[in-house]
Amino acid sequence: MSEAESARAGRQEVWIEKYRPQTLEDIAGHEAIVERLGSYVSRNDLSHMLFAGPAGVGKTTAATAIARELYGEDWEENFLELNASDERGIDVVRDRVKSFARTSFGGYDYRIIFLDEADALTADAQSALRRTMEQFSNNVRFILSCNYSSQIIDPIQSRCAVFRFSPLADEAVEAQIRQIAQEEVIDVTEDGIEALVYVAGGDMRKAINGLQAASMSGDTVNEEAVFEITSTARPEDIREMVDLALDGDFTAARSRLDTLLTEEGIAGGDIIDQLHRTVWEFDLSDAAAVRVLDRVGEADYRITEGASERIQLEALLASLALDGRD
Ligand SMILES: Nc1ncnc2c1ncn2[C@@H]1O[C@H](COP(=O)(O)OP(=O)(O)OP(=O)(O)O)[C@@H](O)[C@H]1O
Ligand SMILES: [Mg+2]
């Protein structure tokens, strides 16, 4: 973003907050989850809960919506949000839980503690958290949020009702984008909407932030603007790169990769994600698609373990070039 653009952004409210659903009913998608949560709320009988799922799909939103429905205007006094990764260890979490649990209640049986990024806690810290949950279970309900429930120790999982949030359906993202564009009176082309949905990959936060950023220039929001502002490679460019590799032209494929990484400033990890999401849309034989996915998995793992993105992507293209199309 240029300085002028960010100045404009500064004056404007952040749309992900402005359009954050306030009630369970307004949450897009997740019908089964919303229904289950609704019945907890209407019985006014919450258990501890674990929300697991990818970023930007409504976990925090669901937790705050529950608090609004239970406590109405008092919701902020009865809802404590903690982030496991920036609370510097379980002791800090425990102290804050303690003081929150001890203060007065304004007539409510229990208050809610929302612990974000619970999967950032070590197993030991989670054991301590488990004891804290038990100690205060009379007057506090925990809602834990994480990306990977496999990182949460079993004794905690078994004490929680587990809710698995999936990436949002493209239709849900599209509908929300159209709605916001209309309310903000933004001119968005059809290919712009399609690009936002593609960029989001089921992450509503990404879609809304992309729309807001792309609208800052004041021009029509089209495909071009969306891909540029979100530093996302066009699906065609990725497909061409893969095609070149599968045709055995490693040099050309590598130079496409270089353009994406260097000139367009796209992150290697994002290229891997895009490959993963779109490989079935490319016109590949099953065998080739399987091979691409296999290599994508390997590169993804190595990059997560700290390997160089560029080397892994080049190695991926090299192996496709060696094996060819069939
Ligand atoms: N299901 C949804 N329906 C409508 N808007 C949504 C939905 N999910 C996310 N959003 C929008 O995206 C923003 C971010 O969502 P939220 O904070 O709930 O994500 P999250 O699942 O908690 O992600 P993270 O794992 O990164 O914390 C919300 O403020 C809202 O604007
Ligand atoms: Mg969240």
Side-chain angles (χ1 to χ4, degrees):
M1 245 193 263
S2 76
E3 247 171 75
E5 278 162 356
S6 37
R8 241 181 103 169
R11 259 179 277 131
Q12 219 175 2
E13 205 178 338
V14 183
W15 291 355
I16 52 167
E17 290 309 330
K18 185 170 173 188
Y19 295 100
R20 189 194 283 277
Q22 312 257 304
T23 61
L24 286 170
E25 203 182 19
D26 287 340
I27 291 175
H30 309 309
E31 286 80 7
I33 292 180
V34 167
E35 196 183 313
R36 263 173 83 198
L37 292 177
S39 78
Y40 278 107
V41 169
S42 59
R43 278 181 285 133
N44 192 5
D45 184 17
L46 248 53
S47 57
H48 296 311
M49 300 195 254
L50 175 64
F51 291 175
V57 298
K59 300 183 299 299
T60 301
T61 304
T64 52
I66 289 174
R68 283 173 196 275
E69 297 199 3
L70 283 177
Y71 309 118
E73 287 193 340
D74 304 333
W75 79 274
E76 278 168 304
E77 291 105 77
N78 290 290
F79 183 85
L80 175 67
E81 181 170 356
L82 297 174
N83 191 308
S85 66
D86 57 41
E87 294 293 337
R88 294 175 307 276
I90 191 66
D91 290 344
V92 183
V93 170
R94 202 165 38 212
D95 288 347
R96 295 199 55 187
V97 169
K98 253 187 214 162
S99 60
F100 182 72
R102 286 204 179 120
T103 45
S104 69
F105 284 88
Y108 299 104
D109 290 341
Y110 51 81
R111 309 167 100 185
I112 296 175
I113 294 182
F114 178 65
L115 183 63
D116 215 349
E117 295 190 51
D119 44 359
L121 295 173
T122 62
D124 281 349
Q126 289 185 34
S127 299
L129 172 66
R130 189 198 91 191
R131 287 190 296 277
T132 308
M133 286 169 74
E134 275 168 359
Q135 194 181 352
F136 295 103
S137 64
N138 270 341
N139 40 15
V140 175
R141 295 293 177 276
F142 279 85
I143 303 180
L144 310 180
S145 175
C146 66
N147 292 132
Y148 302 104
S149 67
S150 58
Q151 303 294 313
I152 303 292
I153 59 171
D154 284 343
I156 288 192
Q157 293 206 34
S158 72
R159 282 170 176 76
C160 292
V162 180
F163 295 82
R164 297 187 192 285
F165 287 68
S166 26
L168 287 161
D170 287 350
E171 297 72 39
V173 175
E174 178 179 336
Q176 188 77 356
I177 290 299
R178 285 190 192 278
Q179 171 85 27
I180 294 177
Q182 193 179 3
E183 293 197 25
E184 297 291 332
V185 201
I186 304 283
D187 206 8
V188 193
T189 62
E190 286 303 307
D191 67 10
I193 290 194
E194 214 176 292
L196 283 165
V197 169
Y198 171 79
V199 163
D203 177 340
M204 190 75 92
R205 182 192 289 121
K206 235 186 214 175
I208 298 173
N209 279 336
L211 176 68
Q212 184 166 21
S215 72
M216 288 301 154
S217 66
D219 299 333
T220 301
V221 174
N222 55 21
E223 182 187 71
E224 178 111 32
V226 170
F227 284 130
E228 196 185 320
I229 201 99
T230 58
S231 299
T232 307
R234 288 160 185 285
E236 309 87 89
D237 288 350
I238 297 218
R239 179 187 347 207
E240 277 169 31
M241 177 180 81
V242 170
D243 273 337
L244 286 165
L246 290 169
D247 289 339
D249 193 346
F250 174 68
T251 313
R254 182 171 179 263
S255 109
R256 291 300 175 93
L257 174 65
D258 190 61
T259 308
L260 293 176
L261 292 176
T262 315
E263 279 170 38
E264 299 186 24
I266 293 164
D270 289 347
I271 297 181
I272 297 275
D273 283 344
Q274 283 184 259
L275 262 170
H276 173 237
R277 283 203 282 129
T278 48
V279 74
W280 295 107
E281 291 159 26
F282 296 176
D283 200 13
L284 300 179
S285 70
D286 274 7
V290 165
R291 222 157 37 232
V292 175
L293 271 183
D294 183 49
R295 301 286 189 257
V296 163
E298 204 164 303
D300 178 56
Y301 176 73
R302 290 182 179 165
I303 290 172
T304 316
E305 291 290 306
S308 145
E309 294 183 339
R310 181 182 290 260
I311 294 178
Q312 289 308 315
L313 277 162
E314 283 190 16
L316 189 156
L317 293 177
S319 84
L320 298 183
L322 278 177
D323 288 345
R325 265 188 195 280
D326 26 53

